[in-house]
Amino acid sequence: MTDKRVAAGQSGRVRGTEQRAPEGKERLSRSGGDGDESAGATAAPGTRRPGGRTARTRAAVRDAVLSGLADHGYPGLTVEYVADHSGVHKTTLYRRWGGLEGMVADALDMAGEDTWTAPDTGSLEGDLRELAREVVDSFTDEVAAAAPTAFIAAAFQSERAAKALHAFYAERFSRCEAVVARAVERGEAAPDIDPAALVRAVTAPLLLRVFITREPIDTALADQSAAAAVAAARAGAFTRR
Amino acid sequence: MTDKRVAAGQSGRVRGTEQRAPEGKERLSRSGGDGDESAGATAAPGTRRPGGRTARTRAAVRDAVLSGLADHGYPGLTVEYVADHSGVHKTTLYRRWGGLEGMVADALDMAGEDTWTAPDTGSLEGDLRELAREVVDSFTDEVAAAAPTAFIAAAFQSERAAKALHAFYAERFSRCEAVVARAVERGEAAPDIDPAALVRAVTAPLLLRVFITREPIDTALADQSAAAAVAAARAGAFTRR
């Protein structure tokens, strides 16, 4: 059992988050990072004090959680590990986050607290192609892929992580729907199109390959995926049921 | 940490494979089940003796592995657990499978040793719709979903499981490509279509929702997914690059 902890190709490299830039490179979690003074406003229950130290503590815990998930997977993650790697006392961890599941869920919440917006290139196909390419860039970058990979894996073991992941993607995809709304305004798409289905169709073939069939993805595949989704949209396949 | 072991909605119920029919209900692993006399022919290294007892041992180990993955996840799976639940001695387990990773990989290999063939309804859209509906049926059936869910989760922790999963899906999707080959013969699809991309596009939006965004799937979504893939194929989006 040499590679128990890994998905070596995927998440092993985060080990030692210390060496990462505090903000990581996660496309899916472009949060303000350490010292983000706004973090308090959307903090987890129990972390009411806004800004400064609380935000830094929260980010340190998030980094420790990510590092632990990458090293040991969710079932091997312990409060001791998070305490050791974040420098935050166990008592504080339990008081603020309730336990490990709360820490993982909060780390995912933080990933959603960013200012990412969907591409705006002026055309539906351009936007979707750019979106698909961003997915490829994120998940072929080992550092950027580590956090989302760890969260997706954790969701298999923790129902609370699964719910947080669901919420993260629901919010993320709702931002992507701006692309479809603009296409409808431009007359590129019918008003009765189902934007949720369309934006998921673009990214699904990429994420399938990364996390399920374990196949490589590249820009050509991103472009194919975007072209397929646009063609299907034009043919009315995503008309709202 | 009450639900550490779960993905409760997904795999918790397999706990105690003892109660399952020996062959399970897995659409993705319609293997011959216990006593499959052909198993020896494609057996893992070290299990040369064909048929009979070897096949039964292999199936018992497979069942114990599935049960353990569902209960504890890959990082919590132990050789002791497999020995206890399969009735196969630890020494034998080590000798035949080398260790846990070998057992997980072999269980996945067994899932691929079935006679499943892709639907043949007479039309491309009919076949793809049927295929998508089979995916929905499999993954909304808790018992049927347990094995593939456990394998997909294990692939995050074990590189060998990830490789076995990759091999499983490569083979499975290659069977699906028969649908596209028939469509080309009937003149429903262009000869330069990329069948691998097309069959993945049909199932990707479904598997994305089950395993990543954690959203429900249903027959209507299966039909939408098939219709979208067919429309994209007709528009040339899957033309071989």
Side-chain angles (χ1 to χ4, degrees), chain A residues 3-4 6-7 75 101 156-157, chain B residues 3-4 6-7 75 101 156-157:
Chain A
D3 61 351
K4 195 181 179 185
V6 195
E101 292 207 297
F156 283 90
Q157 259 83 38
Chain B
D3 61 350
K4 197 181 179 186
V6 196
E101 291 205 299
F156 283 91
Q157 260 82 39

Side-chain angles (χ1 to χ4, degrees), chain B residues 26-76:
Chain B
E26 307 90 320
R27 291 284 167 109
L28 280 168
S29 60
R30 274 189 204 133
S31 72
D34 290 18
D36 175 0
E37 298 296 320
S38 71
T42 46
T47 54
R48 298 249 174 68
R49 194 155 49 106
R53 211 174 107 198
T54 298
R56 278 194 297 278
T57 300
R58 206 175 158 221
V61 170
R62 182 261 326 262
D63 287 347
V65 165
L66 287 177
S67 162
L69 287 175
D71 277 2
H72 304 294
Y74 182 79

Side-chain angles (χ1 to χ4, degrees), chain A residues 85-224:
Chain A
H85 286 70
S86 66
V88 178
H89 200 276
K90 275 175 66 176
T91 318
T92 308
L93 292 175
Y94 279 114
R95 191 176 68 242
R96 291 209 188 154
W97 283 272
L100 277 178
E101 292 207 297
M103 293 174 218
V104 172
D106 190 43
L108 241 168
D109 286 346
M110 286 184 84
E113 292 164 15
D114 64 4
T115 56
W116 183 86
T117 53
D120 187 3
T121 65
S123 77
L124 179 61
E125 181 150 8
D127 286 358
L128 295 182
R129 193 188 301 125
E130 192 53 36
L131 184 65
R133 287 179 176 198
E134 278 194 29
V135 170
V136 171
D137 288 348
S138 294
F139 289 102
T140 51
D141 176 328
E142 297 172 356
V143 175
T149 302
F151 288 131
I152 291 166
F156 283 90
Q157 259 83 38
S158 155
E159 203 167 359
R160 189 153 163 202
K163 278 180 189 163
L165 191 67
H166 170 85
F168 172 82
Y169 277 112
E171 201 274 335
R172 188 69 22 160
F173 275 120
S174 81
R175 294 191 209 178
C176 296
E177 291 179 20
V179 160
V180 187
R182 287 193 299 263
V184 170
E185 278 169 30
R186 284 189 302 259
E188 273 192 284
D192 60 353
I193 196 168
D194 178 350
L198 175 54
V199 296
R200 280 161 180 76
V202 175
T203 52
L206 303 168
L207 297 177
L208 170 84
R209 285 168 171 88
V210 173
F211 293 113
I212 299 174
T213 63
R214 306 268 164 184
E215 297 169 298
I217 59 174
D218 59 20
T219 305
L221 193 63
D223 294 354
Q224 179 190 63

